[in-house]
Amino acid sequence: MQFKTLYGPVRSGRLGLSLGVDLLGKRICSLDCIYCEVGPTRVHTLERRPYMPARTILDELQAWKDTRMPKPEVITLGGLGEPCLNTELETIINGSRAIYPDIPVAVLTNSTLFHEPEVRRELGAAQVVLPSLDTLVPDEFLRVNAPCKGVSLERITAGLLAFRTAFSGQLFLEILLIQGTNDSQENLERLRDFIPRLAPDRVDVVTMTRPGASPLAKAVDQQTLDAWRAALVRSSRGSTKTAPKSLPRELPGVLSGKISDDFSDRASTQGNSAATTSWEKHPDTQEMNAETQRELVLNSLRRRPQTIEQVCAALRLDPVQMSAVFAELTAEGAIHRARELGEDFFQASP
């Protein structure tokens, strides 16, 4: 079976071995962030629709399980756009949990639909929600996130706070810093005031280490990252929630009040740990035919730029064998190379 809505698994810095689920199918989003790893938004909207039918996604997920594909540590709803725009979100969350009852379901979101009570209710079925909030300064928000009509910081913050009061799972807040854009002292102070009110289980402050939608998106330096992390971990220490029993404690980020040194699931690589640069044979992936392996690689690169080593570590494929596959795909124009911070990333061509 060809998997069109599933991708990976990828090695997530915050969640471990993550099987991605694309709820949009196209670059449909309420924001058009300059750092977005899948490229510029094509449909800029707040309109909720069943962009990718739940039945299609759940049939693929069941087939993934039945055909003994690599078992992930977490199922992550995201993809090419904002997953909360899909009106079948709750069905997809509950269906995923029914198919894999022993694996937590996480949702990546840009926080723009939390003002809708129905969205907050639907998201409540997930075990982990990972909202982003890059800035609380209005002009920075316009430059970094380019919201569509109807999106405002006031709605985002009010919606996040309302969601937090009812959500019983884990909430991991992510802040992505862009050099000279949202790394201002004003933004730091506003976030430092807001985070204790939200009381997330974890705060991740990250920056660019992977090609983004715009060449203007540049990483901040390590000194800036360290300063922001030090400031915001202090502001988040009011959180005392613990991991739910359904969320494996060995996954990164289940400790309350902890700020992560891992990288972003939205716009960055997963670091240089042995887990992401080495590979281990997996009988199921090794026995796949060449066409299936190739399709898995392409599906993964359509949603996230990665190095050969990252793809091989996540899919447990032989790097020597995959180097030849990457060379063939590049020659065919199916993928292309992009260099970022001294590393060669590959992503699917438009």
Side-chain angles (χ1 to χ4, degrees):
M1 179 175 181
Q2 288 189 327
F3 298 100
K4 298 301 183 184
T5 69
L6 307 184
Y7 58 98
V10 296
R11 184 63 64 176
S12 162
R14 294 186 289 175
L15 296 170
L17 192 64
S18 167
L19 179 61
V21 182
D22 184 359
L23 275 65
L24 284 307
K26 297 179 181 178
R27 283 178 272 174
I28 302 167
C29 196
S30 48
L31 302 181
D32 189 12
C33 303
I34 63 174
Y35 55 71
C36 185
E37 62 187 29
V38 301
T41 296
R42 297 304 184 200
V43 180
H44 206 198
T45 185
L46 268 177
E47 181 185 3
R48 300 192 75 208
R49 294 173 52 191
Y51 292 100
M52 186 63 70
R55 188 71 269 153
T56 299
I57 290 172
L58 297 177
D59 284 349
E60 287 199 8
L61 191 60
Q62 186 64 59
W64 184 281
K65 182 178 182 180
D66 292 344
T67 53
R68 299 180 65 243
M69 300 295 281
K71 185 178 180 179
E73 295 171 325
V74 65
I75 295 166
T76 306
L77 309 188
L80 292 172
E82 170 50 46
C84 295
L85 288 171
N86 193 319
T87 50
E88 297 194 306
L89 175 65
E90 185 179 22
T91 301
I92 295 166
I93 294 173
N94 288 330
S96 299
R97 294 184 64 173
I99 293 168
Y100 278 112
D102 58 333
I103 296 178
V105 173
V107 181
L108 302 175
T109 174
N110 64 20
S111 309
T112 57
L113 282 96
F114 280 110
H115 66 279
E116 296 194 17
E118 186 69 8
V119 172
R120 298 198 299 269
R121 186 191 63 79
E122 293 167 9
L123 275 174
Q127 286 109 318
V128 192
V129 174
L130 302 97
S132 62
L133 184 64
D134 300 319
T135 181
L136 288 175
V137 180
D139 63 326
E140 294 179 0
F141 182 54
L142 293 176
R143 293 200 304 272
V144 173
N145 303 117
C148 71
K149 185 178 180 180
V151 175
S152 70
L153 285 174
E154 291 77 14
R155 275 186 163 190
I156 288 174
T157 53
L160 274 168
L161 293 172
F163 177 70
R164 186 48 163 158
T165 62
F167 183 53
S168 60
Q170 294 274 279
L171 190 73
F172 298 166
L173 183 70
E174 180 177 287
I175 300 154
L176 193 146
L177 297 179
I178 302 297
Q179 183 185 86
T181 308
N182 66 327
D183 55 349
S184 66
Q185 187 65 29
E186 181 182 3
N187 188 28
L188 177 59
E189 293 300 330
R190 291 191 183 198
L191 286 168
R192 184 156 50 187
D193 289 341
F194 175 74
I195 287 172
R197 297 171 60 202
L198 183 64
D201 296 283
R202 199 174 87 178
V203 178
D204 293 295
V205 182
V206 299
T207 192
M208 297 291 298
T209 57
R210 171 192 305 276
S214 169
L216 298 177
K218 300 295 184 184
V220 299
D221 58 34
Q222 190 61 46
Q223 182 178 1
T224 300
L225 267 184
D226 291 343
W228 275 66
R229 288 172 173 172
L232 295 184
V233 71
R234 284 195 296 270
S235 72
S236 66
R237 281 179 179 159
S239 173
T240 58
K241 290 173 65 66
T242 56
K245 292 180 180 178
S246 56
L247 184 62
R249 289 188 176 273
E250 65 269 17
L251 291 185
V254 299
L255 300 178
S256 64
K258 177 183 182 297
I259 196 161
S260 174
D261 290 328
D262 295 323
F263 293 112
S264 167
D265 289 310
R266 291 185 289 150
S268 66
T269 183
Q270 305 308 315
N272 296 317
S273 68
T276 62
T277 57
S278 63
W279 73 287
E280 174 188 354
K281 285 186 178 180
H282 188 286
D284 300 330
T285 50
Q286 294 303 308
E287 292 171 5
M288 289 177 195
N289 61 46
E291 188 58 35
T292 300
Q293 290 185 356
R294 175 187 169 106
E295 186 64 24
L296 280 178
V297 169
L298 274 173
N299 272 344
S300 189
L301 295 180
R302 286 186 185 108
R303 278 85 172 190
R304 162 177 282 186
Q306 296 168 78
T307 66
I308 294 177
E309 292 80 6
Q310 289 167 347
V311 171
C312 291
L315 297 178
R316 300 183 185 180
L317 298 171
D318 185 343
V320 175
Q321 177 186 353
M322 283 298 104
S323 292
V325 172
F326 272 66
E328 291 172 5
L329 291 170
T330 302
E332 294 168 10
I335 65 175
H336 62 277
R337 187 192 312 258
R339 193 158 182 82
E340 188 79 14
L341 296 179
E343 288 194 274
D344 286 328
F345 289 86
F346 292 85
Q347 57 193 131
S349 300

